[in-house]
Amino acid sequence: MKEKVILAYSGGLDTTTMIPWLKENFDYDVVCCCIDCGQGNELDGLEERAKLSGASKLYIENIIDEFCDDFIMPCVKAGAVYEHQYLLGTSMARPVIAKKLVEIARKEGATTICHGATGKGNDQIRFELAIKALAPDLKVIAPWRMTDIWTIQSREDEIDYCKAHDIDLPFDHSHSYSRDRNLWHISHEGLELEDPANAPHYDNMLVLGVTPENAPDEGESITMTFEAGIPKTLNGREMKVSEIITELNRLGGKHGIGIVDIVENRVVGMKSRGVYETPGGTILMAAHEQLEELILDRDTMETKKRLGSQFAQIVYEGKWFTPLREAIQAFVDVTQEYVTGEVKFRLYKGNIIKAGTVSPYSLYNESLASFTTGDLYDHHDASGFITLFGLPLKVRAMKLAETKNNSK
């Protein structure tokens, strides 16, 4: 009986080519597994394509709600943004995909998992760290790193390889952007983006929305409610998280929200440039922050910002299944206990404009914040506070003056 390999299958040319390649070079029984994180119509025709290419079985696993509830929302609540701009769309998806691949491997009695990530990217690290954490006994095959037997160098080579194995598929030699899509975002790499001196060709690139210049001239008002940091309603309608993100994607895309052109530092040490479309995610993160700033005290907010940045780096580096990620997430969950309330804002030509925030747990006190004197604040108290708060500065200045005088 042949050993089974679980192939992380997207239906694209790379992973389709890997089906006959795995059979030819390892004599594996190839079980394809496509993990649906919200790729939309990219999943059309996958079963026929996998079977035509020689797979013995295809799993299509819908994990959209698990992705949203257990992977996206922890990052939203943490305010996790990598290098101030990247909202971790691909990074969050890889551990949940790997988790499902391991589950299918156990179900099928497979010995190996194969992925199509390149040897220069982050995804190879994210997939393999997750697999090591969840199933250290499973072997991993990464064809793009196996240059002694994976001799394919281009899209043309892949098409020729498939044809040589009597696999005629609807792929052509044309080149396009390298993309990764899920419910949270879509990324674009390649073509003109490979030179940072070039402006992105947005008219040919964007999938989820339009540029701010092409957005409507009239803005749109949005109201959201949260309970313990989780979004519950959008414009008065109660929805689950995945539905809220879907609708925010539509609204954000329409108004040119969430387009980021970034040169980021990959885990493997190189810089790479990409354009990310994250319309719904950008709105959700902004709405959550708008509510949170009303509720968290200063020390908690500052600590959370530091840990949120660290959380983003942990996720970016593929270290989801680690004690450190769990510990930081536990801290974040405590901070979210009272992040409940309503936020209002307007979307207009790439901007998210605040229009009011209400929470039963708001720490904003009008009597304190007002320029007029309130019952809770005596202006005279500030004198003593400034004396104590500035004492280290005063002592240092006095010591420097003393030292200067003694040296004369």
Side-chain angles (χ1 to χ4, degrees):
M1 187 175 179
K2 293 182 179 180
E3 285 189 28
K4 288 183 180 180
V5 60
I6 304 300
L7 173 62
Y9 187 61
S10 68
L13 183 55
D14 286 356
T15 53
T16 297
T17 304
M18 289 174 189
I19 297 173
W21 182 85
L22 287 165
K23 296 176 67 175
E24 181 178 21
N25 289 279
F26 296 93
D27 196 31
Y28 276 130
D29 178 5
V30 180
V31 177
C32 289
C33 189
C34 176
I35 312 300
D36 182 5
C37 297
Q39 295 93 307
N41 58 13
E42 291 182 10
L43 305 184
D44 294 347
L46 250 61
E47 186 163 3
E48 181 182 7
R49 190 176 306 166
K51 293 292 179 63
L52 285 173
S53 304
S56 64
K57 188 182 294 187
L58 170 67
Y59 286 87
I60 298 180
E61 299 289 306
N62 185 323
I63 58 166
I64 293 174
D65 285 330
E66 180 182 0
F67 177 42
C68 291
D69 297 339
D70 298 340
F71 291 81
I72 288 178
M73 282 313 304
C75 292
V76 172
K77 291 191 289 185
V81 181
Y82 182 69
E83 295 188 339
H84 308 293
Q85 296 184 80
Y86 174 44
L87 300 187
L88 301 171
T90 300
S91 310
M92 295 186 295
R94 295 313 185 227
V96 68
I97 291 172
K99 177 174 176 281
K100 185 57 64 174
L101 291 174
V102 168
E103 290 175 8
I104 299 299
R106 296 305 193 206
K107 180 178 179 179
E108 288 287 334
T111 60
T112 308
I113 291 175
C114 176
H115 65 76
T118 71
K120 287 186 176 182
N122 297 314
D123 281 344
Q124 57 181 339
I125 299 168
R126 295 164 182 157
F127 281 132
E128 294 183 39
L129 290 190
I131 293 168
K132 288 178 186 295
L134 298 175
D137 56 301
L138 291 180
K139 295 179 289 186
V140 175
I141 290 180
W144 283 107
R145 299 203 305 257
M146 304 172 72
T147 53
D148 52 338
I149 52 176
W150 177 266
T151 56
I152 295 169
Q153 299 294 317
S154 66
R155 188 176 181 87
E156 290 81 3
D157 289 348
E158 290 178 318
I159 292 173
D160 291 342
Y161 183 88
C162 286
K163 287 183 176 178
H165 290 76
D166 297 320
I167 302 170
D168 190 13
L169 296 169
F171 297 114
D172 58 38
H173 292 77
S174 64
H175 291 271
S176 63
Y177 296 101
S178 174
R179 291 183 165 116
D180 176 74
R181 181 176 183 177
N182 56 49
L183 190 69
W184 186 248
H185 88 152
I186 185 167
S187 65
H188 311 268
E189 293 180 338
L191 299 184
E192 79 278 359
L193 299 179
E194 293 187 348
D195 184 350
N198 294 330
H201 299 162
Y202 286 122
D203 290 342
N204 298 325
M205 177 194 304
L206 298 181
V207 174
L208 300 180
V210 299
T211 60
E213 295 90 336
N214 293 323
D217 292 331
E218 185 176 344
E220 189 160 356
S221 296
I222 306 294
T223 301
M224 293 182 64
T225 63
F226 289 78
E227 293 179 13
I230 303 294
K232 293 296 182 180
T233 68
L234 174 59
N235 289 335
R237 289 180 53 210
E238 187 171 344
M239 307 183 209
K240 58 185 181 179
V241 174
S242 59
E243 293 170 336
I244 288 175
I245 294 173
T246 299
E247 180 62 9
L248 289 178
N249 275 333
R250 184 187 70 81
L251 294 168
K254 173 183 174 183
H255 291 280
I257 305 293
I259 301 169
V260 172
D261 177 0
I262 180 176
V263 176
E264 69 194 61
N265 290 293
R266 286 183 178 173
V267 181
V268 293
M270 69 181 70
K271 289 185 180 290
S272 66
R273 190 219 188 161
V275 168
Y276 296 100
E277 293 181 72
T278 321
T282 300
I283 297 171
L284 181 54
M285 294 282 277
H288 179 267
E289 184 177 352
Q290 180 176 329
L291 178 61
E292 199 174 51
E293 68 184 12
L294 206 63
I295 295 162
L296 298 188
D297 64 271
R298 178 182 176 183
D299 287 345
T300 301
M301 179 77 84
E302 289 301 315
T303 301
K304 183 174 176 292
K305 284 181 179 178
R306 292 196 300 271
L307 290 178
S309 179
Q310 187 176 6
F311 196 91
Q313 185 164 341
I314 289 168
V315 177
Y316 187 84
E317 293 178 351
K319 299 175 181 176
W320 186 275
F321 298 105
T322 61
L324 181 56
R325 191 274 306 168
E326 293 175 0
I328 295 178
Q329 186 172 326
F331 166 82
V332 170
D333 285 341
V334 171
T335 71
Q336 299 301 292
E337 182 179 357
Y338 300 110
V339 181
T340 295
E342 179 184 85
V343 296
K344 296 180 180 179
F345 48 89
R346 286 182 60 78
L347 308 179
Y348 179 70
K349 289 190 176 294
N351 296 292
I352 303 169
I353 305 165
K354 293 179 182 178
T357 317
V358 177
S359 170
Y361 304 107
S362 172
L363 297 183
Y364 184 92
N365 185 294
E366 188 174 350
S367 177
L368 284 171
S370 172
F371 284 104
T372 60
T373 301
D375 295 336
L376 296 177
Y377 193 90
D378 186 334
H379 288 272
H380 296 94
D381 293 340
S383 297
F385 169 76
I386 294 170
T387 297
L388 296 177
F389 196 64
L391 189 60
L393 299 176
K394 184 175 181 178
V395 170
R396 181 177 183 273
M398 292 171 62
K399 177 56 68 175
L400 289 175
E402 179 185 337
T403 304
K404 186 177 181 180
N405 290 331
N406 291 338
S407 66
K408 290 181 179 180

